[in-house]
Amino acid sequence: MKIKMNIKLVIMALVLTTSCSDLIDPAVENIQRKDLIRERPSMVQGLLLNAYLRIPTNGYNFSEMATDDAVSNDLDNGFLNMATGQWASNFNPVDRWNAANSAIQYLNEMLTEVGNTEYASNPQVNQMFLDRLTGETHALRALFMYYLLQAHGGVAGGELLGVPIFLEPQSVDSDFNMPRATFDDCMAQLYSDLNTAMDLLPMDYNNIGDESMIPSKYREGGTGVNDYNRVFGDDAKQLVSGRVARAIRAQAALLAASPSFNLDNDQAKWGDAATYAGELLNDIGGISGLDPNGVTWYSNASVIDGLGAGNNPPEILWRGSIGGPTNDLETQNFPPTLYGEGLVNPTQNLVDAFPMANGYPINDPAAGYSAESPYAERDPRLAQFILINGSTAGSTGSTINTALDSDTNDGLNKVETSTRTGYYMRKLLRQDVNLDPVASTGQRHLQPRMRYTEFFLIYAEAANEAWGPLASGSFSFSAYDVIKAIRQRAGIGLDNNDPYLESIKGDQDAMRQLIRNERRLELSFEGFRFWDLRRWGADLTETAQGMRIQNEDDYSIIDVENRVYQDYMIYGPVPYSELLKFSALQQNTGW
C-alpha cells in the first residue's frame, strides 16, 4: 500500500512540474516538416495511402435503396430520404466532392514529393520504386476524377461540365476559386494520367524467376531478379497495377459514351469503351476467361478461405483486404430470426427482372410464368441473390417465412427489422455465419473493387452501341457472345439454347435492353444501379413494390415506396457549401 502511495506522489509531482503547453501542444519532434518526411520513405508513401483509404469501393453503401431495386427498413436511412424527395445540394448521400478532392490533394502532394526521397541505395532499385509510386499516383488521380465526374458532372449554362482540375497541391496561398472545366477536358486529363500510369506500371505484380522477364529498361541497367521482385513482386499485389489502370480507363470511357454524358451521340466514344474493355478481356482469353464460379464469388467458401498473399480468384480483378472473420454484413442484412437487422429489402421490381430459366422474360407469352407460383422455374440467380418466401438461410438452414401472416418476425412489416417488401438480400452474405449470441461466428469476406463480370458487361454494352449485337470490331467476340456466355453461366437456356436471346440477337434495341437487364442482375447490390440509371437517362420514378403473401398461396403485389426525382437529377449537384465559398463554380441546371 505504501509503495502504491509513493508512485502516486511521484506522478503528481511530475504533472505539477510540467507546463500546460507541454501537456496540450505536440512535441516538436512530432511535427513532421517536409524535409524530415523526405528522409522517411514510408511517410512519403503515407500520402499515397491516404488516397487508397478514400476509394469508395473499399466498402458497400447500398445506394440501390435509392432506386427501383431495393428499399431500406430503416426509416431514417439517407438513401430512403433521398429517394422520397429530400435530395438536394445540401443533402446528398452520394456526394463525392470532398472525399475525392481530398484524395487528389494528397496525390498532388505525392507527385511533388515522390522524387525528393531515396527509397533504396541502389540507383536502379530507387528508380523502380520512383516509377511504381509515380504510376500508382497518376492512376489513382484518374480514378478519383472518374468518381467526381460520375457524381458531379452535368449540364450547367447549356454546357456539359466536369469539375475543377487541380494538378498541383493547394496551399493557403492557392487560388481555390476555380471554375469547373468542361467534361471533355476532365476526360482528357483522366486519360493523360492513365497513359502515364500504364507506361510506368507492370500489367500485374508477381515474383519472377528469370531475368528475361525484366523489362528491358531495367534489365539493361543491371537490374536482377531479386531487385525487380523487391519493387514489382508479390509484396505489391493489390496496389494499382497496369491492369487496374486499364480497367479505370474502360469504366471512364463507358461513362463518357453514355447518353447523359455523350450529348452529341459520338459513336466513336462507344468504340473506345468497347476497345478498352475488350483489350482487358483479351488478356484473360476472351469469353473463355469468364469465371464459371463467378456468379457466387461472394460465397465460394473454399476459394475465399484459401486465398492468401494478395492473390485473386479468377472473377476478381482488384480487391481490398480480406482481413479476418467478420459478420458485419450479415448483422446488417440477415432476417430477424437469424439475429439480423434486415436492412436492404429487394423490391418486386428487381425480382420481376429475373427471367425464367428458359430465358424468356416473365411477361413474354412463351415464358410459362405463373402468378400463382411466381418463383417456380426461375433464373437460378433469383434464389442465389434474394431470400424469397420459403428459402432456407443461415448456418442452421432455417426456413424464412416472409408472408404477411408469418408466425415469425421475418414476416412482412412485423417489426422494425422486418422486410418491407417480402424479400431479404442474400447476395454478398456468407450463409455459414452464425449470429446467435450464444455461438456467434464470423467468416472471411471478399471486398472487390473491380470484378471481371463488370468488364464483360461494359464490353457488351459498348460493342452493341458501336458495332451492333453480332459484330466484334477487332475482337473475336461480340456483345451477343458475351451475353450468351453470362446467361449460360447463370444456368439460363441450358436445355433449350436460350431461344429468347436467339430471337433478338440481330436487334440492337432489344439487345440493349437485355444487356442493361443482365447488368442489373449480375451487379445487383454492388453499387451500380443508382449510377447506371442516371448515365442512361432512364426513368428514376418507378414506384418500389413488394409482395404480400397470405394463406400460403395468395400473392399480391403492393406499392411500398414512391420514388420522387426530377428530370434534372440524372446529374448530381455541386455541394451547396462549395458554391457559397467559391463564386466561380457553376451549379448543374435544376439544383
Side-chain angles (χ1 to χ4, degrees):
M1 194 70 184
K2 185 175 181 181
I3 293 173
K4 288 184 180 179
M5 182 62 69
N6 288 339
I7 292 173
K8 288 181 180 179
L9 290 172
V10 169
I11 293 173
M12 290 177 62
L14 287 171
V15 170
L16 291 172
T17 57
T18 302
S19 70
C20 291
S21 62
D22 288 336
L23 290 172
I24 298 171
D25 296 334
V28 172
E29 61 267 24
N30 290 329
I31 301 174
Q32 298 298 321
R33 303 189 311 272
K34 281 188 178 182
D35 58 331
L36 296 177
I37 289 175
R38 290 166 185 161
E39 297 172 3
R40 302 180 183 182
S42 61
M43 296 192 72
V44 174
Q45 292 176 64
L47 297 169
L48 196 55
L49 178 61
N50 269 285
Y52 275 106
L53 293 174
R54 285 169 168 78
I55 297 173
T57 50
N58 286 341
Y60 299 106
N61 64 24
F62 298 115
S63 58
E64 288 86 357
M65 295 185 293
T67 75
D68 52 356
D69 272 6
V71 301
S72 171
N73 68 3
D74 175 6
L75 300 185
D76 294 323
N77 181 272
F79 292 124
L80 183 154
N81 293 327
M82 174 183 176
T84 53
Q86 296 185 43
W87 194 16
S89 61
N90 60 354
F91 175 74
N92 185 8
V94 293
D95 175 78
R96 286 175 172 167
W97 190 279
N98 290 325
N101 278 303
S102 177
I104 289 173
Q105 167 71 1
Y106 279 111
L107 294 167
N108 287 339
E109 191 71 52
M110 180 67 180
L111 289 176
T112 299
E113 292 300 321
V114 67
N116 296 326
T117 299
E118 184 179 274
Y119 305 94
S121 58
N122 181 314
Q124 192 68 15
V125 175
N126 190 68
Q127 184 61 50
M128 287 192 293
F129 271 118
L130 180 59
D131 287 351
R132 196 196 77 195
L133 294 169
T134 303
E136 287 179 73
T137 305
H138 278 281
L140 285 171
R141 190 166 70 176
L143 179 65
F144 283 103
M145 175 61 81
Y146 164 64
Y147 287 130
L148 282 169
L149 293 177
Q150 187 183 57
H152 302 288
V155 173
E159 186 177 16
L160 184 63
L161 299 181
V163 295
I165 298 174
F166 296 106
L167 302 180
E168 301 289 337
Q170 296 167 287
S171 69
V172 292
D173 298 320
S174 298
D175 182 5
F176 291 85
N177 193 22
M178 299 290 290
R180 295 167 64 188
T182 67
F183 185 89
D184 285 345
D185 285 345
C186 290
M187 284 297 301
Q189 180 57 48
L190 180 152
Y191 285 141
S192 175
D193 275 333
L194 291 175
N195 287 335
T196 300
M198 290 184 288
D199 285 342
L200 294 171
L201 298 174
M203 192 70 164
D204 299 297
Y205 298 110
N206 288 302
N207 281 348
I208 62 172
D210 191 283
E211 286 189 4
S212 65
M213 302 174 70
I214 301 174
S216 59
K217 63 179 178 179
Y218 301 133
R219 187 174 64 250
E220 292 169 1
T223 297
V225 169
N226 290 337
D227 289 337
Y228 183 85
N229 289 343
R230 178 181 171 187
V231 182
F232 297 115
D234 287 349
D235 288 345
K237 286 180 177 179
Q238 303 310 332
L239 299 177
V240 174
S241 63
R243 187 179 302 276
V244 172
R246 287 165 175 80
I248 296 168
R249 183 175 62 172
Q251 291 176 322
L254 181 72
L255 180 73
S258 299
S260 295
F261 298 95
N262 188 5
L263 303 183
D264 296 329
N265 194 26
D266 183 351
Q267 288 298 102
K269 292 181 179 180
W270 286 115
D272 288 343
T275 298
Y276 298 151
E279 290 172 352
L280 270 176
L281 302 181
N282 262 352
D283 197 63
I284 61 169
I287 298 297
S288 66
L290 185 68
D291 181 9
N293 298 312
V295 173
T296 54
W297 58 267
Y298 54 90
S299 60
N300 298 334
S302 61
V303 174
I304 297 170
D305 295 343
L307 283 177
N311 294 330
N312 289 334
E315 172 61 17
I316 305 301
L317 190 155
W318 189 32
R319 64 170 174 83
S321 174
I322 293 178
T326 62
N327 56 25
D328 295 341
L329 273 175
E330 289 75 22
T331 298
Q332 191 178 53
N333 290 289
F334 267 1
T337 58
L338 297 181
Y339 304 95
E341 299 167 1
L343 176 68
V344 180
N345 303 161
T347 60
Q348 187 65 41
N349 317 56
L350 177 58
V351 169
D352 287 348
F354 288 87
M356 301 297 288
N358 61 21
Y360 287 98
I362 64 170
N363 58 2
D364 191 293
Y369 172 77
S370 169
E372 286 72 40
S373 300
Y375 312 122
E377 305 299 325
R378 296 293 292 277
D379 176 347
R381 291 173 296 187
L382 174 58
Q384 290 165 329
F385 294 172
I386 296 175
L387 271 179
I388 58 178
N389 186 53
S391 296
T392 57
S395 58
T396 58
S398 302
T399 299
I400 306 302
N401 185 342
T402 66
L404 182 67
D405 52 6
S406 171
D407 59 359
T408 74
N409 285 340
D410 295 338
L412 186 71
N413 291 321
K414 286 285 185 178
V415 294
E416 289 181 353
T417 54
S418 302
T419 176
R420 297 173 60 209
T421 63
Y423 303 105
Y424 293 95
M425 186 182 78
R426 187 185 185 99
K427 188 178 177 182
L428 308 181
L429 309 181
R430 293 270 307 245
Q431 299 302 314
D432 48 355
V433 161
N434 187 349
L435 299 181
D436 186 335
V438 177
S440 179
T441 60
Q443 299 292 347
R444 301 177 85 198
H445 293 73
L446 276 176
Q447 180 59 58
R449 293 186 178 126
M450 296 175 178
R451 293 201 292 124
Y452 272 109
T453 295
E454 176 192 352
F455 296 93
F456 277 101
L457 290 163
I458 287 175
Y459 177 83
E461 180 178 345
N464 182 60
E465 299 297 339
W467 311 315
L470 297 173
S472 54
S474 61
F475 302 97
S476 61
F477 46 93
S478 65
Y480 158 80
D481 293 327
V482 167
I483 295 303
K484 188 174 184 69
I486 286 175
R487 283 162 70 88
Q488 284 181 336
R489 180 180 72 173
I492 295 174
L494 298 182
D495 297 330
N496 61 354
N497 196 37
D498 203 348
Y500 178 73
L501 176 60
E502 295 302 313
S503 72
I504 67 164
K505 66 182 182 181
D507 184 334
Q508 186 183 46
D509 292 337
M511 185 62 80
R512 177 185 303 119
Q513 296 310 312
L514 181 59
I515 291 168
R516 290 182 179 184
N517 196 67
E518 285 297 318
R519 184 176 172 93
R520 180 182 190 177
L521 305 182
E522 286 282 338
L523 304 181
S524 57
F525 309 117
E526 297 179 54
F528 288 89
R529 182 69 173 170
F530 178 85
W531 309 104
D532 283 343
L533 288 172
R534 283 157 178 78
R535 69 179 176 84
W536 291 331
D539 180 23
L540 307 175
T541 61
E542 185 176 314
T543 299
Q545 296 181 316
M547 178 67 81
R548 180 173 60 205
I549 306 172
Q550 293 179 274
N551 302 320
E552 295 186 357
D553 59 359
D554 180 8
Y555 297 90
S556 57
I557 294 175
I558 57 173
D559 289 343
V560 175
E561 194 170 275
N562 291 330
R563 292 286 180 254
V564 183
Y565 291 109
Q566 305 302 319
D567 290 345
Y568 63 82
M569 291 180 175
I570 59 172
Y571 306 116
V574 174
Y576 180 64
S577 60
E578 298 300 300
L579 295 172
L580 290 178
K581 290 185 287 187
F582 307 121
S583 60
L585 287 177
Q586 282 184 278
Q587 181 61 280
N588 288 330
T589 300
W591 292 99

